[in-house]
């Protein structure tokens, strides 16, 4: 089985569309690690697509804030404005869908899905200090996480350099070891923060035990124009081009 692993789409329809085209014909099933909406200008188009096409989805902190499940009181002013705009823009059906999304961790059999971490759905796994307790909690399982918008991850054993190879998208393909705790982040589809603007995603081949970290360009100018035209803070358009 090959899984298309998506995270942090953040209502960026142009980025999602480009990822689906880029990965077309290469996967059997889609999974989403949360933050379907928030920041971008197309919350309904993206949520409609996820509702229809993604059987396993967990919620992110922006999904909770944008559907009204949580007050975005701790968000910075720009994120808070976007959450309130999204709440007002979502259709009742899409608001209900986001409200009812499951919290992680979700056990997919072949792997675990979390938004932030295994221990706290809102925790950022940024460095090895954050990751070490999580690797213990993973109990020898492969875990996909999101939330940081940074593609990559954490392994207990050193990566087999001979098995790691650059792939055609400019990303890296690695072989994951069975029975070992591994935390991998596909990166953000709709708002990457690793100083690259291209949409990020991962493909996981559970039989061959390969994870491909992929990037693909998308219609950035249209996504930025829609954010400005919607009256969302212009900083949200600018940051997309900077990958931060
Ligand atoms: Zn996010």
């Amino acid at each position: 089985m090959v899984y298309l692993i998506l995270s942090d789409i953040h209502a960026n329809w142009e980025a999602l569309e480009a990822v689906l085209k880029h990965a077309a014909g290469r996967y059997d099933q889609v999974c989403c690690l949360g933050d379907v909406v928030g920041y971008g200008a197309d919350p309904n188009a993206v949520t409609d697509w996820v509702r229809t096409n993604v059987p396993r989805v967990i919620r992110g902190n922006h999904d909770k804030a944008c559907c009204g499940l949580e007050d975005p009181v701790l968000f910075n002013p720009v994120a808070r404005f976007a959450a309130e705009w999204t709440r007002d823009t979502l259709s009742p059906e899409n608001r209900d869908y986001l409200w009812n999304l499951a919290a992680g961790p979700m056990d997919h059999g072949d792997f675990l899905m979390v938004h932030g971490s295994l221990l706290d759905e809102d925790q950022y796994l940024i460095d090895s200090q954050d990751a070490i307790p999580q690797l213990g909690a993973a109990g020898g399982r492969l875990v996909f996480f999101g939330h940081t918008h940074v593609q990559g991850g954490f392994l207990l054993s050193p990566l087999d350099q001979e098995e790691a190879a650059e792939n055609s998208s400019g990303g890296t393909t690695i072989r994951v070891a069975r029975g070992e705790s591994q935390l991998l982040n596909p990166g953000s589809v709709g708002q990457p923060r690793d100083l690259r603007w291209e949409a990020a995603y991962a493909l996981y081949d559970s039989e061959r035990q390969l994870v491909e970290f992929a990037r693909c360009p998308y219609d950035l100018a249209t996504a930025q124009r829609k954010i400005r035209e919607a009256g969302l803070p212009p900083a949200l358009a600018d940051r997309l081009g900077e990958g931060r």
Side-chain angles (χ1 to χ4, degrees), residues 8 10 35 39 61-62 115 147 149 193:
D8 299 280
H10 280 293
D35 279 2
Y39 296 134
N61 52 320
H62 285 261
H115 183 65
H147 197 34
H149 299 209
R193 294 180 195 160

Side-chain angles (χ1 to χ4, degrees), residues 149-151 187 192-198 200 215 243-244:
H149 299 209
V150 175
Q151 194 176 52
R193 294 180 195 160
D194 43 14
L195 304 180
R196 288 183 65 177
W197 68 273
E198 302 97 325
R215 304 302 285 239
R244 65 171 84 232

Side-chain angles (χ1 to χ4, degrees), residues 33 56-59 102-109 111-122 134 137-138 141-145:
L33 309 177
R56 301 221 185 202
V57 188
I58 53 171
R59 68 189 188 187
M106 181 182 279
D107 193 337
H108 201 302
F111 52 89
L112 294 164
M113 299 163 55
V114 300
H115 183 65
S117 83
L118 286 163
L119 307 174
D120 177 352
E121 62 179 331
D122 295 335
Q134 300 291 325
R141 302 285 304 276
L142 171 61
V143 181
F144 284 104
F145 71 99

Side-chain angles (χ1 to χ4, degrees), residues 30-175:
V30 195
C31 301
C32 178
L33 309 177
D35 279 2
V36 175
V37 298
Y39 296 134
D42 277 314
N44 283 309
V46 168
T47 309
D48 285 342
W49 185 86
V50 170
R51 279 171 61 193
T52 312
N53 294 285
V54 188
R56 301 221 185 202
V57 188
I58 53 171
R59 68 189 188 187
N61 52 320
H62 285 261
D63 302 321
K64 287 188 284 184
C66 292
C67 73
L69 194 57
E70 251 182 39
D71 191 332
V73 70
L74 295 178
F75 280 18
N76 66 55
V78 166
R80 186 178 181 141
F81 185 97
E84 285 163 357
W85 178 90
T86 303
R87 195 184 309 173
D88 293 343
T89 304
L90 281 167
S91 68
E93 296 77 19
N94 285 337
R95 250 197 320 267
D96 283 356
Y97 171 77
L98 295 171
W99 183 286
N100 289 304
L101 283 178
M106 181 182 279
D107 193 337
H108 201 302
D110 284 330
F111 52 89
L112 294 164
M113 299 163 55
V114 300
H115 183 65
S117 83
L118 286 163
L119 307 174
D120 177 352
E121 62 179 331
D122 295 335
Q123 183 187 358
Y124 289 94
L125 297 186
I126 293 167
D127 54 28
S128 51
Q129 222 172 345
D130 302 322
I132 285 167
Q134 300 291 325
L135 286 162
R141 302 285 304 276
L142 171 61
V143 181
F144 284 104
F145 71 99
H147 197 34
T148 63
H149 299 209
V150 175
Q151 194 176 52
F154 304 94
L155 311 171
L156 273 178
S157 308
L159 190 64
D160 185 340
Q161 295 297 333
E162 282 178 22
E163 299 270 26
E166 189 170 326
N167 58 48
S168 56
S169 79
T172 303
T173 299
I174 64 169
R175 188 177 297 280

